[in-house]
Each structure stands twice: as C-alpha cells, then as structure tokens.
Amino acid sequence: TDTHVVSSADEDDRYVDNNGRLATAVDAINAERPRLDAVLVTGDLTDRSHPEAYDTLAFELARLDPVMLPLPGNHDRRELVRAAFPEAGWVDADHASWVREVSGVRVIGLDSTRPGYAGAEFDHERQLFLESALTAEFDGPTIIAMHHPPFMSGIEWMDRAGFVGLDRFTETLRTYAGSVAKIVCGHVHRPISSTVAGVAAQVGMSTVQHVALDLEVQSQPSLVRDPVGYQIHRFDSDGVVTHARYIATGEQPFVPEWS
C-alpha cells in the first residue's frame, strides 16, 4: 500500500527512493513461496497523479506474477487509475470500485476517496454497491479492501482529514458483519489493527516512509523511516492470519546453531 510512485518532475520531493522501493517489493513478492495468489495495492499508488508516474507504476506492477488488484487513494486521480489498469473490472459508477474472486476468496475493492480532499467518503451510491456485493451469493470468505481505514487511528494529524459517512459504513458493515472476514486498507503508512462492527481491520505497511507513531493530542505531521514492506493474508478453513514481510532491511534468514 501507499507506493507513492513519482515522476521525474517529482524527484526533488522524496524522503526515500519511492520507485526503487516499489521495485524491491515486486521482486520480493515474486520470490514468495508458496506463490501468492493476488496482490492488493490499496491506494496512493502515485504521489502527485502525474501521468508519467502511472506509466512507471503500471510497468513495475506488470512484473508481478500474482493477480494484481489496484485501488485509488487520495493522492490518485480515479480516471488515471482506471486508465492505467483497464482490466481491473471497475464498476460502472463515479467511484472506482470492483468485486473480484481469487482462489476462493471474494475481494470487494471499495473506493473510499473523496476527490479534492485527503479524507474518506462513503456515500449512498457506495452503500448500494457494497450491499449488492455482500448480498450476492458466494460460498467462501470475503474481504473488503479500501484506502482509508474506517476507524480513527489516534494519530490526530492523520485523523483530521475525516471520514464522511463513517457511521453509514459502520452500520452497513454491522448489518452484514457475518459475511466479512477482514478489512484491509492503507493511508496511515504503518501497521495498525482494529475492529469495525466486530470485523477485524488491518492497515498495511507502506513501501515508503511511515507516519511516526505519535498519540499526543494535537499531534503535528511527523514521518519516520521505519522498516517497510507489505502484509500477507493467509486464508484457511479457520479464518485469516496476517503476517508482516519486511523488505530492504539488509538482513537475510539464517539457520541457528541449535537447529
């Protein structure tokens, strides 16, 4: 999540090598064993929505071996995300959402963006889309993927952007909570776990710099170069287990002497 790919015009606005980190993540994903079934990229695909950045993004993500499922974030422009990934199965609506089935798991990609704003929105149109997706007959687990977390993180400067329609989303989820195994999202750039209407919700790690953990009231914007990576969600008959995969640390697994 939150790959923030940049164009040549944006290169002076980096804290880390955004594009290089994405390439490293793609290499690591392709090396996963067993092979992953799908890769969710939950928004802020580019940093400033420059068309050149979407070209770079599409080129890198085309190297992925698993199925790739993209969503827009508040740094993206919906029409450019749709154009970069026309095969995603976008719903015929203003919002850029989709529903896909991968290896027995139904994934609902819910566009949480509010054009022109950093915060999220869940309006009536998206409520109807989500209700339709959740009531469609399906024999297997369902996850909802979105950019913005549907809860307050406690990092106030990030939470200030708000979530228009959060109560609407929570009530919708409560109605169909038994149909959803997990919510996965991004936006906050650091791993965070919560529950929403009784459903587990997980913010993934960004591949670029993280938002610093600051739970003070009236916190100010603060970033940190924590270890980055992605998360792996493993489904079996008992549910879903989430693992963190750190990349670009310079460390490699080793066999201990006592093994």
Side-chain angles (χ1 to χ4, degrees):
T1 190
D2 294 86
T3 52
H4 286 270
V5 168
V6 297
S7 71
S8 57
D10 302 325
E11 286 184 331
D12 60 342
D13 193 30
R14 295 180 180 180
Y15 304 103
V16 296
D17 181 0
N18 295 18
N19 298 6
R21 289 283 180 86
L22 173 60
T24 299
V26 169
D27 291 341
I29 289 168
N30 286 341
E32 291 285 356
R33 296 296 180 271
R35 181 183 180 273
L36 304 184
D37 294 298
V39 176
L40 282 163
V41 192
T42 53
D44 281 1
L45 308 176
T46 68
D47 196 55
R48 296 189 176 185
S49 292
H50 194 287
E52 179 190 315
Y54 285 103
D55 291 340
T56 300
L57 174 76
F59 175 80
E60 283 296 336
L61 294 182
R63 298 196 297 112
L64 285 168
D65 292 335
V67 174
M68 194 279 297
L69 307 174
L71 279 170
N74 53 284
H75 278 248
D76 295 307
R77 288 170 53 189
R78 291 171 175 170
E79 67 275 17
L80 294 182
V81 176
R82 285 176 177 266
F85 305 103
E87 71 289 348
W90 307 105
V91 68
D92 184 14
D94 288 339
H95 58 96
S97 303
W98 43 257
V99 182
R100 299 282 294 273
E101 180 185 341
V102 181
S103 301
V105 177
R106 178 171 60 185
V107 186
I108 301 173
L110 177 63
D111 177 5
S112 63
T113 61
R114 185 184 181 202
Y117 295 86
E121 183 173 22
F122 183 71
D123 53 19
H124 183 60
E125 183 182 31
R126 278 174 274 200
Q127 181 183 14
L128 294 177
F129 160 76
L130 183 57
E131 289 176 341
S132 176
L134 290 174
T135 54
E137 186 175 347
F138 183 72
D139 184 19
T142 295
I143 62 172
I144 297 174
M146 54 202 298
H147 178 63
H148 299 85
F151 57 87
M152 296 298 103
S153 70
I155 303 174
E156 191 178 68
W157 70 271
M158 288 294 293
D159 293 340
R160 273 178 220 143
F163 196 127
V164 176
L166 180 57
D167 289 344
R168 181 198 299 267
F169 177 83
T170 303
E171 287 305 311
T172 302
L173 190 63
R174 183 171 288 113
T175 302
Y176 301 99
S179 304
V180 181
K182 193 158 196 172
I183 301 167
V184 297
C185 42
H187 186 59
V188 195
H189 284 228
R190 61 176 308 107
I192 305 172
S193 300
S194 186
T195 57
V196 181
V199 178
Q202 185 81 42
V203 178
M205 293 182 289
S206 173
T207 55
V208 299
Q209 71 284 340
H210 286 188
V211 169
L213 180 56
D214 182 354
L215 301 178
E216 291 283 354
V217 176
Q218 298 181 336
S219 63
Q220 297 301 309
S222 179
L223 306 176
V224 62
R225 294 184 182 92
D226 278 345
V228 302
Y230 49 87
Q231 292 176 330
I232 299 173
H233 307 282
R234 180 180 181 272
F235 288 82
D236 61 24
S237 58
D238 294 323
V240 56
V241 174
T242 298
H243 297 270
R245 171 72 77 191
Y246 298 100
I247 62 172
T249 64
E251 296 290 336
Q252 295 294 326
F254 60 91
V255 178
E257 295 177 358
W258 46 262
S259 175

